[in-house]
Amino acid sequence: MSLPDKTGHFGEFGGRYAPETLMALLEDLERIFHSLKSDKAFQKEFQHYLKEYAGRPTNLYSAQRLSAHLKTLKVYLKREDLLHTGAHKINNTLGQVLVAKKMGKTRIIAETGAGQHGVATATACALMGLQCEIYMGAEDVERQALNVFRMKLMGAKVIPVESGSKTLKDAMNEAIRDWVTNVQNTFYIIGSVAGMHPYPVMVRDFQAVIGREARKQFLIKEKKLPDYLLACIGGGSNAMGLFHAFYTDKKVKMIGVEAAGCGLNTQQHAAPLAKGKIGVLHGSKSLLMQTPDGQIQIAHSIAAGLDYPGVGPEHAYYQQSGRAEYVAVNDHEAIKGLKLLSQTEGIIPALETAHAIAYLEKLAKKVKKKSTVIVCLSGRGDKDVASIKDLI
Amino acid sequence: MKIMNRIDIKFKALRKAKKKAFIAFITAGDPNLKTTKELVLAFEKAGVDIVELGVPFSDPLADGPTIQSSSQRALQQHVTLEKIIQLVKDIRRYSEIPIALMTYYNPVFAMGEAVFVKKAAQAGVDGVIIPDLPPEEGKNLIKLTAAYQLAMVQFLSPTTTLARTKRIIQSASGFIYFVSVTGVTGARTQAPVDFMSHVKKAQRLTKKPICVGFGVSTPQQVQKIAQSADGVIVGSAIINQILQQKGKKDLVKNTAQFVRRLTKVL
């Protein structure tokens, strides 16, 4: 069975819950994206930018001091943090900006939480000479000042969003409102495997290079497949990017790590897979943090990039079908994870990524025999240094 | 024979009298549910043909600032879909004005489609309008609403292709909501210009009433749109009036007077 189905559904999840004004465009985008998959010139251009500009392939690094600390796990880090702009987000923005050009769009908009997707979008737009406007929650503008500066430096306009919780969810609302208004000339680059069909599948396909490379690299180094894959989950694009190439390798266990914020027993978390209910937000059906009346709740995580009350529909499907397991790590543990990787390997991970690192300690205690694991090191932590220095 | 609901009866009567429909949108619970009820009753006397009651949602992505903040005020009053259905039931003790609920999909999904349709129909709701539920995703709700004689209003926009227009018209009931501009809801000073040809095109394909909304705020705009459309929908401009009157004892009277200025040109 191929996922998603023709109508953009992953089982009961996904779909296209969009205002009518966007429907014709989404149909167009779906058709064009589908035709570009087998368009050799397009693929060649995309591969060219991934290699020459972004710096692919990224290393699969055997983290020996970290592994020695954990004792039962041999850890490989898929170094997406080494990509240009410092996170996996650039894989997707390069792909989408090329699609936008094919569609003749002249203006790009995007939402951003931590600012990594905003920076990656601003970067791709500067590279292609396209006008770029980034919606960012006012609260995130404050806690990610460095990324705001980077976006502006590359010529993007950053629009602080004051409505609602002033974070990623509200930035996405505002971006969709802009898109509905300027649909004729504007392309919306969604940063995660979320949104209305075909975005979840399009973003997945652009990020799937992570897992394809990692699988090949691991086979060369270890002559077998890994026991575990591990990645943090906000919307879930780096996790889906790593997982997808291993989907049919049934023995490879996949673990996604959500943000437990102040704890799963509080209201202050960002863990819809652990605690959410099925619902519809931002164009697709998935698991959502919501009240019994269907109002969306405000997520909380120390990591701005995980601070979202929903999750990509394909992850909801992976969880329901049992293909992947989803766990959660709180703010405090994430900071410990950040310190752990910094001190054992000299790599400062993004706070988002630190959630996956933190879970390694728990996984190390659970495994019965020595096991191998690939962690998606989705982003570097420079952007977070200022905001966490008082917490460490 | 198919039982007609209040929306169908209203349009039949309007057509007979060669008149156009005035549809007023307000957010239920802004400033509170008691005032919403009084507004609906006053609107009926002020010449409103159909009322759209907005169900507030935390993330109203098709709405501009006016309805966004109105929704927030209603949510602060702890207004829920359940309470709004009860409000309609209460209104039915006094009035037979056609009422449609305009809601985002998630509150309906959270209640359960079947439960929602049954409760709404029993309370005296006549139609449902869901801006983020295109007919492709709304098949089940279209079936359920039909079974309970609830109208399921569908949207057309200036970007809708001909093939889509045909499909949408087929699945629509009650009326068709034509979005005048690409954009979100909200009063605009300039009447949107180039949508009339789209409306006329759609009218050649169907006898179902086509009503135009988004960005309509003045009597002049109402009059102009009514020259070809079957009805005109005004929301944000009315909500702005309510906001201006907030806390005043003549809120209902003054808002109804404002609405009267809009309805009397039809």
Side-chain angles (χ1 to χ4, degrees):
Chain A
M1 184 181 63
S2 106
L3 288 168
D5 66 14
K6 267 191 266 174
T7 55
H9 292 86
F10 305 88
E12 69 180 296
F13 305 108
R16 185 180 282 159
Y17 296 84
E20 177 55 31
T21 303
L22 296 176
M23 290 299 284
L25 173 95
L26 290 164
E27 286 174 358
D28 260 4
L29 175 60
E30 180 188 358
R31 192 172 41 75
I32 288 168
F33 173 66
H34 191 75
S35 74
L36 290 175
K37 277 204 263 193
S38 54
D39 181 328
K40 284 198 179 117
F42 177 87
Q43 291 301 333
K44 202 176 150 195
E45 193 181 9
F46 181 45
Q47 294 309 322
H48 163 81
Y49 283 113
L50 285 182
K51 178 166 178 258
E52 304 293 334
Y53 184 74
R56 301 213 73 91
T58 58
N59 298 332
L60 186 70
Y61 168 71
S62 171
Q64 294 186 14
R65 283 201 359 107
L66 177 62
S67 301
H69 167 84
L70 295 165
K71 296 187 178 72
T72 55
L73 292 175
K74 184 171 187 187
V75 181
Y76 281 89
L77 302 173
K78 182 60 176 162
R79 297 293 307 274
E80 297 298 296
D81 61 318
L82 293 179
L83 285 173
H84 179 45
T85 72
H88 72 290
K89 295 288 186 186
I90 191 81
N91 300 324
N92 170 48
T93 60
L94 285 172
Q96 285 200 49
V97 97
L98 290 173
V99 175
K101 278 183 73 173
K102 283 273 173 199
M103 294 181 79
K105 304 292 181 188
T106 54
R107 177 174 175 267
I108 301 291
I109 56 169
E111 85 295 336
T112 196
Q116 289 304 107
H117 174 59
V119 167
T121 303
T123 302
C125 288
L127 175 68
M128 304 289 169
L130 291 169
Q131 186 192 343
C132 176
E133 295 184 26
I134 305 289
Y135 288 92
M136 188 170 187
E139 190 182 307
D140 293 336
V141 168
E142 201 145 300
R143 55 179 170 174
Q144 300 289 344
L146 181 64
N147 273 343
V148 174
F149 180 71
R150 292 165 80 195
M151 288 183 262
K152 287 182 177 169
L153 196 58
M154 288 183 284
K157 186 173 162 194
V158 179
I159 304 165
V161 175
E162 298 284 351
S163 58
S165 62
K166 304 179 188 184
T167 60
L168 182 54
K169 151 180 104 83
D170 310 283
M172 200 153 172
N173 288 339
E174 214 50 53
I176 292 173
R177 289 179 189 125
D178 178 318
W179 194 25
V180 172
T181 309
N182 301 299
V183 61
Q184 317 284 7
N185 72 341
T186 298
F187 190 95
Y188 179 21
I189 298 189
I190 295 182
S192 196
V193 284
M196 42 292 262
H197 180 60
Y199 278 93
V201 58
M202 181 165 69
V203 177
R204 178 197 77 192
D205 284 0
F206 286 140
Q207 292 291 2
V209 62
I210 301 172
R212 277 200 306 274
E213 281 178 12
R215 192 175 182 281
K216 227 182 273 174
Q217 290 164 323
F218 194 91
L219 279 170
I220 291 168
K221 287 177 197 274
E222 291 283 336
K223 312 283 184 282
K224 60 175 185 179
L225 288 170
D227 298 308
Y228 292 95
L229 304 176
L230 193 58
C232 67
I233 304 244
S237 72
N238 91 84
M240 193 49 69
L242 177 65
F243 293 174
H244 188 249
F246 294 88
Y247 184 73
T248 52
D249 301 320
K250 297 291 181 203
K251 283 192 174 151
V252 179
K253 298 184 191 74
M254 304 167 171
I255 304 173
V257 186
E258 292 191 293
C262 301
L264 288 183
N265 297 325
T266 71
Q267 298 280 315
Q268 311 287 309
H269 61 77
L273 287 162
K275 304 289 278 188
K277 279 193 320 176
I278 300 178
V280 171
L281 178 68
H282 296 149
S284 63
K285 191 182 276 181
S286 187
L287 285 158
L288 292 176
M289 294 170 56
Q290 56 181 317
T291 67
D293 299 314
Q295 305 294 339
I296 309 305
Q297 287 173 321
I298 293 170
H300 165 81
S301 168
I302 193 171
L306 305 183
D307 209 341
Y308 183 67
V311 64
E314 196 164 10
H315 284 297
Y317 177 77
Y318 274 25
Q319 182 182 51
Q320 195 185 58
S321 64
R323 181 61 190 93
E325 180 194 356
Y326 295 88
V327 297
V329 153
N330 67 33
D331 288 349
H332 178 68
E333 293 164 325
I335 290 176
K336 271 172 55 185
L338 186 141
K339 278 164 80 175
L340 174 67
L341 190 67
S342 301
Q343 291 168 8
T344 55
E345 297 291 343
I347 297 170
I348 303 172
L351 266 174
E352 290 76 14
T353 317
H355 286 72
I357 301 293
Y359 188 72
L360 282 171
E361 301 248 33
K362 298 185 182 183
L363 184 63
K365 291 190 187 109
K366 272 170 69 172
V367 293
K368 298 207 169 63
K369 59 175 176 50
K370 180 109 181 169
S371 305
T372 55
V373 53
I374 298 176
V375 181
C376 186
L377 201 66
S378 53
R380 68 176 183 223
D382 309 43
K383 68 182 176 63
D384 298 313
V385 172
S387 66
I388 58 166
K389 68 175 192 293
D390 297 335
L391 300 168
I392 285 187
Chain B
M1 202 185 93
K2 187 175 176 287
I3 307 162
M4 290 174 84
N5 74 19
R6 294 179 191 85
I7 294 174
D8 295 332
I9 294 168
K10 172 60 79 174
F11 275 108
K12 205 176 168 192
L14 285 167
R15 279 198 172 155
K16 210 169 160 192
K18 294 200 162 36
K19 293 194 70 153
K20 303 300 174 74
F22 185 90
I23 303 175
F25 171 94
I26 50 173
T27 306
D30 174 26
N32 53 56
L33 286 174
K34 181 172 162 282
T35 307
T36 301
K37 174 179 152 187
E38 291 169 6
L39 283 168
V40 172
L41 299 177
F43 283 0
E44 186 175 26
K45 294 198 182 85
V48 169
D49 297 299
I50 298 169
V51 171
E52 273 181 28
L53 279 183
V55 177
F57 182 50
S58 53
D59 295 82
L61 51 79
D63 285 303
T66 301
I67 295 179
Q68 282 175 44
S69 54
S70 175
S71 302
Q72 277 305 315
R73 291 192 293 275
L75 287 175
Q76 278 157 15
Q77 302 287 320
H78 307 289
V79 169
T80 61
L81 180 54
E82 182 83 49
K83 286 182 188 169
I84 294 167
I85 291 170
Q86 287 310 309
L87 177 78
V88 174
K89 198 171 173 182
D90 187 27
I91 289 171
R92 284 287 169 250
R93 291 161 55 205
Y94 309 94
S95 168
E96 288 296 306
I97 189 167
I99 297 175
L101 296 186
M102 178 136 177
T103 175
Y104 287 86
Y105 182 53
N106 202 52
V108 171
F109 184 79
M111 182 180 275
E113 291 183 339
V115 175
F116 164 72
V117 167
K118 195 171 168 196
K119 279 187 178 177
Q122 284 172 352
V125 170
D126 305 295
V128 185
I129 310 172
I130 309 183
D132 61 347
L133 189 73
E136 289 90 335
E137 300 289 355
K139 285 182 192 132
N140 189 45
L141 200 58
I142 289 169
K143 252 187 247 161
L144 285 166
T145 48
Y148 280 85
Q149 280 82 44
L150 278 182
M152 181 86 199
V153 173
Q154 301 290 350
F155 287 85
L156 291 176
S157 97
T159 58
T160 307
T161 57
L162 182 65
R164 281 192 66 78
T165 301
K166 287 179 182 164
R167 284 207 305 273
I168 290 166
I169 281 171
Q170 276 233 304
S171 65
S173 54
F175 63 92
I176 290 157
Y177 193 131
F178 193 95
V179 176
S180 67
V181 287
T182 60
V184 292
T185 58
R188 291 162 175 84
T189 43
Q190 282 290 310
V193 274
D194 56 354
F195 66 94
M196 273 310 172
S197 61
H198 293 279
V199 173
K200 283 177 187 154
K201 243 183 252 169
Q203 279 171 330
R204 281 198 287 275
L205 297 169
T206 182
K207 287 210 163 56
K208 292 174 186 171
I210 296 180
C211 302
V212 173
F214 278 42
V216 188
S217 62
T218 66
Q220 292 75 22
Q221 290 171 336
V222 169
Q223 197 164 34
K224 189 151 181 280
I225 290 166
Q227 283 168 10
S228 36
D230 302 285
V232 186
I233 305 159
V234 179
S236 295
I238 299 173
I239 287 169
N240 281 332
Q241 281 297 315
I242 296 171
L243 184 59
Q244 277 171 29
Q245 303 287 328
K246 199 178 175 183
K248 295 184 187 160
K249 76 173 183 344
D250 288 338
L251 183 151
V252 173
K253 195 177 128 201
N254 291 343
T255 308
Q257 254 169 24
F258 172 81
V259 169
R260 165 73 73 187
R261 285 200 290 279
L262 296 171
T263 59
K264 77 173 181 207
V265 300
L266 293 182

